[in-house]
Amino acid sequence: MNTKIRGVFTALITPFDEEGEIDEKVLRQLIDFQINSGISGVVPCGTTGESPTLSHEEHDRVIQLTIDHVNKRIPVIAGTGSNSTREAIRLSQHAEKSGADGVMVVNPYYNKPTQEGLYRHFREIADSIDVSCIIYNIQSRTGVNLETSTLIRLCNSCKNIVAVKEASGNLNQIRDVIEKTGNNFSVLSGDDNMTLPLIKAGGDGVISTASNLIPDKMLNLVQTALEGNFQQAEILNSELSDLFEALFVETNPIPIKAAMAMAGYCLEQYRLPMCPLSSHEKRSQLKQTLIRTGILAN
């Protein structure tokens, strides 16, 4: 990617059919919905795309299909992370050969590496490809936090590490990253509800779950904030706050896929261990929120 990464990038869901297989027709429709809504870019095979439950062949196929169907209309940033450095390299190299504009690599989960191990992991991946590399820092899912000092080491060592998706939930850490990485480095929110505070601190946008459902509203929020109109952005953010909460009433991507199904975009099909919402109360809460925000008719 030749320009700074800014705006709203949708972490695409992976739709499944009644047999639990990838529904390629629906995936193409979802991609077109995003592009027609003016989204900044799409991210297939992230957490929201249930990537841990995809086989290697399916993972490669979803990325290839997305790149081919987008056909250079918007950037495609492929999720290629793994807790195995060798596997992440293979996935990243495949994405690059398939035509991805960049890759997103998450902290290696379960292993709980040291900061030195994280540095070597991300450097090996970045050195194996030429396209842009976004680091995805999410301690709550991986058990380890990429410290700012380690991120700075990586930025200084690897010219193609150009952004971080910050989902640490720690605004002080986010501010520190923004302050120390410089103007050419992008800091993107990994949490929809942290998007406005991050942009206020000098960040660049969001890799969003909610934009699967409301790309236009997320774009309006982020563009308004990036223009510095924070008073209006606060109003827009307040209008979406209940939806942000409802979309994380259980583990992502369970609520967003349920909401997409309610709105008629896909079937509510998951891959185990992901499964439907656990209670009628949570489903009712989600549905009522979609009605209040005008996504569903009453």
Side-chain angles (χ1 to χ4, degrees), residues 1 63 76-81 85-106 120-135 157-163:
M1 301 181 69
I63 288 174
V76 176
I77 300 170
T80 57
T85 305
R86 288 186 178 186
E87 182 176 320
I89 288 172
R90 190 205 70 77
L91 291 169
S92 299
Q93 289 177 338
H94 171 269
E96 180 178 35
K97 290 175 183 176
S98 298
D101 299 283
V103 300
M104 183 180 73
V105 287
V106 70
R120 295 187 186 193
H121 172 80
F122 287 121
R123 180 169 180 172
E124 286 282 337
I125 297 166
D127 284 349
S128 74
I129 55 176
D130 293 321
V131 294
S132 298
C133 185
I134 299 174
I135 292 175
S157 301
C158 308
K159 291 182 179 179
N160 60 331
I161 293 180
V162 298

Side-chain angles (χ1 to χ4, degrees), residues 43-207:
V43 184
C45 293
T47 305
T48 307
E50 296 176 73
S51 58
T53 69
L54 301 179
S55 69
H56 291 179
E57 293 77 16
E58 288 174 325
H59 193 287
D60 290 347
R61 176 58 185 158
V62 169
I63 288 174
Q64 184 72 69
L65 183 154
T66 302
I67 292 166
D68 290 346
H69 192 68
V70 166
N71 194 26
K72 300 296 182 183
R73 289 179 286 173
I74 56 172
V76 176
I77 300 170
T80 57
S82 172
N83 62 340
S84 163
T85 305
R86 288 186 178 186
E87 182 176 320
I89 288 172
R90 190 205 70 77
L91 291 169
S92 299
Q93 289 177 338
H94 171 269
E96 180 178 35
K97 290 175 183 176
S98 298
D101 299 283
V103 300
M104 183 180 73
V105 287
V106 70
N107 293 348
Y109 39 87
Y110 188 77
N111 307 31
K112 295 187 73 172
T114 63
Q115 292 299 305
E116 180 64 25
L118 287 171
Y119 170 78
R120 295 187 186 193
H121 172 80
F122 287 121
R123 180 169 180 172
E124 286 282 337
I125 297 166
D127 284 349
S128 74
I129 55 176
D130 293 321
V131 294
S132 298
C133 185
I134 299 174
I135 292 175
Y136 180 12
N137 185 33
I138 179 166
Q139 183 175 8
S140 63
R141 282 187 181 263
T142 63
V144 64
N145 177 51
L146 181 71
E147 295 175 2
T148 305
S149 57
T150 306
L151 178 61
I152 299 304
R153 282 184 70 195
L154 286 163
C155 293
N156 291 336
S157 301
C158 308
K159 291 182 179 179
N160 60 331
I161 293 180
V162 298
V164 63
K165 176 183 178 182
E166 254 296 345
S168 63
N170 184 336
L171 191 54
N172 288 330
Q173 175 169 318
I174 291 169
R175 290 192 180 105
D176 194 38
V177 169
I178 292 169
E179 179 183 344
K180 293 180 178 177
T181 48
N183 293 331
N184 294 325
F185 189 85
S186 297
V187 181
L188 304 165
S189 177
D191 299 301
D192 287 305
N193 64 350
M194 290 288 288
T195 303
L196 182 54
L198 177 138
I199 294 175
K200 279 185 170 183
D204 300 286
V206 60
I207 296 178

